[in-house]
Amino acid sequence: MPERILTQDPEKALAGPKPRYEYIRQEIPADLTFKPDTINPVHNRFIVSTLVMAFISMALFFLPMFNGLLAGTFGGFHARRMPRALGAAALSAVAVPTALAFFLFIGSATQGHIFYGLGFWGYTALYVIGIFIGAVTGAISHPFWTSYKIGEPAPVSAPRTRVPDAAPPSRPTT
């Protein structure tokens, strides 16, 4: 006699019986560690320092040299290392003037007066000079303002503990 299908969902009906799992109790090795179930957001320092430079520059676009100096200093400080800071400054030196040119292009022709005396290329030159000077300043000043040193472990507040000499290698089974 054929089985009666008690569900309306054909996928559940065709899935068949659920598999059974057998569990074996074993001791966990002492050197085995588990990853937490939480998500730890890890950001790329280069991308974040580039975004810091770009956002500060765009927010202060009306101050031609100062926006580059300030954005480069904050971005270079966040980058922590000179090559990373200079790379972020180079990317920001291309992205911000390109974005400003795009915004001027989609705006009306009368909005170009924000660059009256300098012109767009003069503004771009001042911005590029300012962002590189700021990036170098921020990367150099990072070790002076923080206790972070490359290659040294971060301090931990918990004291180190000694393992007793007579400690068993693992927990005894009962």
Side-chain angles (χ1 to χ4, degrees):
M1 179 164 136
E3 292 183 18
R4 286 183 73 195
I5 298 175
L6 299 177
T7 179
Q8 297 292 333
D9 188 12
E11 288 182 14
K12 287 184 181 177
L14 297 175
K18 292 185 178 181
R20 291 189 56 173
Y21 296 102
E22 293 184 15
Y23 295 100
I24 301 171
R25 296 198 112 202
Q26 288 184 346
E27 225 177 283
I28 297 175
D31 60 342
L32 182 69
T33 59
F34 294 99
K35 290 185 177 180
D37 288 339
T38 59
I39 297 172
N40 295 326
V42 177
H43 62 272
N44 188 346
R45 234 174 240 294
F46 175 74
I47 293 172
V48 173
S49 56
T50 303
L51 290 175
V52 165
M53 287 182 189
F55 285 140
I56 292 175
S57 299
M58 291 300 286
L60 298 174
F61 73 94
F62 51 88
L63 302 170
M65 182 85 165
F66 184 70
N67 70 340
L69 283 170
L70 193 64
T73 303
F74 280 113
F77 185 83
H78 186 271
R80 292 184 180 175
R81 291 188 335 191
M82 188 68 68
R84 194 182 299 147
L86 291 176
L91 189 60
S92 180
V94 171
V96 170
T98 304
L100 284 176
F102 175 73
F103 291 141
L104 285 174
F105 175 73
I106 63 171
S108 65
T110 59
Q111 289 180 352
H113 66 277
I114 62 171
F115 303 118
Y116 262 143
L118 289 173
F120 180 74
W121 294 111
Y123 171 84
T124 303
L126 280 179
Y127 171 70
V128 168
I129 290 168
I131 196 119
F132 277 102
I133 291 172
V136 168
T137 304
I140 288 174
S141 69
H142 188 272
F144 297 116
W145 285 90
T146 62
S147 62
Y148 174 78
K149 293 182 180 76
I150 296 175
E152 290 185 16
V156 179
S157 62
R160 292 187 178 194
T161 58
R162 257 179 37 96
V163 177
D165 295 333
S170 64
R171 203 170 179 194
T173 58
T174 55

